[in-house]
Amino acid sequence: QVQLVESGGGLVQPGGSLRLSCTASGSIFSNYPVGWYRQSPGKQRDVVASIGPSGAIFYAVPVKGRFTISRDNPKNTVYLQMNGLKPEDTAVYYCRTFTSPPMWGQGTQVTVSS
């Protein structure tokens, strides 16, 4: 069973950068696609980016060109580098495995504000 822990969130000014990390334990993390999702108050949890076991990548349109997802399989970690942050990016960010059922982390808060 996979357990996921996110870290790296915080408060940043518009235009700033953050790097989120998602570290897994309890399973072979490298075997699964992993995604980043985000959720703001009153909104649905939406996919931000995902990465496959061999590096196939998807980005949601609002973050294309600004965010980069990557993984370090020996470290059982997936990263989300977020550049050019906007207030609209403010949300709790979650990582998940694309397994049946999916496994979710606890979330890390990202706040973009002047």
Side-chain angles (χ1 to χ4, degrees):
Q1 186 175 359
V2 177
Q3 295 178 283
L4 306 177
V5 178
E6 302 99 333
S7 63
L11 175 64
V12 65
Q13 293 185 339
S17 298
L18 288 172
R19 187 175 181 86
L20 307 183
S21 298
C22 172
T23 300
S25 63
S27 188
I28 303 175
F29 194 46
S30 61
N31 287 348
Y32 309 120
V34 179
W36 284 98
Y37 287 68
R38 66 187 182 186
Q39 186 169 24
S40 299
K43 297 183 179 180
Q44 293 184 341
R45 187 174 297 186
D46 295 326
V47 65
V48 175
S50 64
I51 186 166
S54 298
I57 290 173
F58 165 83
Y59 294 106
V61 169
V63 308
K64 282 185 177 180
R66 299 189 297 120
F67 291 10
T68 302
I69 190 170
S70 62
R71 68 193 301 163
D72 187 338
N73 287 334
K75 295 182 179 179
N76 284 292
T77 300
V78 171
Y79 303 98
L80 186 67
Q81 177 67 46
M82 305 185 295
N83 299 325
L85 283 163
K86 304 175 180 179
E88 303 94 284
D89 297 318
T90 296
V92 178
Y93 284 71
Y94 302 87
C95 64
R96 65 159 284 181
T97 60
F98 288 88
T99 51
S100 296
M103 299 296 296
W104 293 90
Q106 85 289 346
T108 184
Q109 176 71 48
V110 172
T111 302
V112 184
S113 180
S114 298

